[in-house]
Amino acid sequence: MSHRIYEGHGDPVCETRPGLTRRSFLRRGVGTAGGLAAVAAALSPLRDFDASEMSVAGFLQKHYKEMDAQEMEAALDRIREQVEARYEVRPEIRDIKPMDGVEFVYALNLSRCIGCRKCVHACVAENNQSRDPEIQYIRVIEMPRGTTDVEHGDHHYERATVPDEDHYYMPVQCHQCANPPCVKVCPVEATWSEPDGIVVIDYDWCIGCRYCEAACPYWARRFNFTTPKIPKDKLNPNMSYLSNRPRSQGVMEKCHFCLHRTRQGKMPACLEICPTGSRKFGNVLDPNSEVSQILRTKRVFVLKEQVGTLPRFFYYYDERDPISGYSDEAKGGQG
Amino acid sequence: MEHESGRVEQERGKDAAGGRGSGIEAEERVKIFGWLVGPGFVLLALGMVFGLSSGDVPSAESPSVSATALVAGPLRESLKDPPMTEIGGIEQRCISCHQLFESLWDGSKPLRQHMDVQIKHGVDGSCYGCHSRENREKLELKGGELVSFTEVARLCGECHGPVLRDWQRGTHGKTLGYWDANLGEVRRLGCTECHDPHSPAYEGIIPLPGPHTLRMGERLNEHGGESNRNPLRYWQENKGHKAESGGSH
Ligand code: SF4
């Protein structure tokens, strides 16, 4: 815009301003206009920003680790009110702390998983993920037998029934790494590793830069590009601050081992729904827990071991694979 | 701003070379101009954030997953001790019939009772591989010991040793309830709470719908195309837009 005004006045204008030649002024004007346009374009998603998600108290809130009990209670009150205003449901929300002497580990039996995707949808229901656009924490990958290279996998399999005998199924979700790249890249420390091994996100602290999403080798993190939408009757009112409370536009989210359940001794939702018992969860510091038994007695591997993330999510096999039909005898129903 | 002042230096150098004016006044003007750019950006940002909010209602068409598909729990109900079964709409004990009628079945004829039982299990398709011929409320181990239906794992483990071992350790099967006995009941499901003892291999089941989300890679299977991969499918439909990649199903 500005450069046209000067164009109308012609060269004399420039000549009276030594040092600011017409060309340089044009260049600067065009540059500024371009810059403004770029910023406007970058900010345009904010036009859909839902102001009801914002509050001064939320904006001024301290970092999770710096809040004392009173400040946390105030934050929870604010969230209760926001959720009630939005979904007409009074949530049971708490800030549930990790237990002493507990480190969580997940184990998944690839010999048993049939790829039914029940875990995916049970997770969505439990953790208040957006239904529109859809956000899912668990990806079930249909893999050709004989490889663990996920590049050969397919997320979009559609079959009359599963399992398909030429494939096996590998569900992937956040691995809660002991050396988490996502935590290292966060410029504002909105995500960190808790003493029980769960990598959490403070949704009120996240600035939505998506560095962590790029850093995760397991594609475990999800970004809210728009205001997440959940039907009012589908909202799970049993919430905690660091897990399944509703998120707002522009923040990152991911699997947190259902910490609002597991920190109270319960099993994660994906485990409870699994019809095949492929999913195992527990405390690895307890030598008699199911996961400890698996790590001791089963053939276990972690995904992309070479990247050094030290996942707390293990895959294992049975000696004999009931799905592939390891032998003729197996087809007689050794499963 | 650093960038801006760098450019100023450049311009000044050029002006000096061209022998035009002192350059001081120009610097002043560029500074003023630069000072205006910053607030301009800030105003623009504020306008975007607070001026044009459109507050969507949080409702959404949910992907078609029925609530019944997501009820957690055992897949089947296993028999208790004593085992009960429904006959003629009434819960009856097995011995209600079996102590009246002696079973004469020798495996040669088709069943006339319990016709829902399809045996796809065992080596000879005989009932007496597992059930006791004398006491119908018990199962019979290979050595002749009778066990109740609640101890079915001992019977299964006679053939499926490694699976029994894994189940005892907790590395086979499903555990509901709590992950630590000190916190609540650990409920490790029994063999027949998942497997039908007469047909224990899992039948194929219908998978729940696939993803319509970001970061799920290309479709590889024969259905091809992008038609089912549109993360904004519902959003676009709700807003009255036509889904760009035809993803409406
Ligand atoms: S619910 Fe269990 S069997 Fe089904 S896809 Fe998930 S892990 Fe596999």
Side-chain angles (χ1 to χ4, degrees), chain A residues 108-109 112-120 138 140 157 169 171 270 273-279, chain B residues 205:
Chain A
L108 197 146
N109 189 340
R112 298 280 163 186
C113 174
I114 56 173
C116 65
R117 294 199 184 103
K118 286 196 177 213
C119 47
V120 176
I138 305 175
V140 184
Y157 58 91
Y169 298 85
C270 51
I273 197 67
C274 178
T276 60
S278 307
R279 291 173 165 271
Chain B
I205 69 169

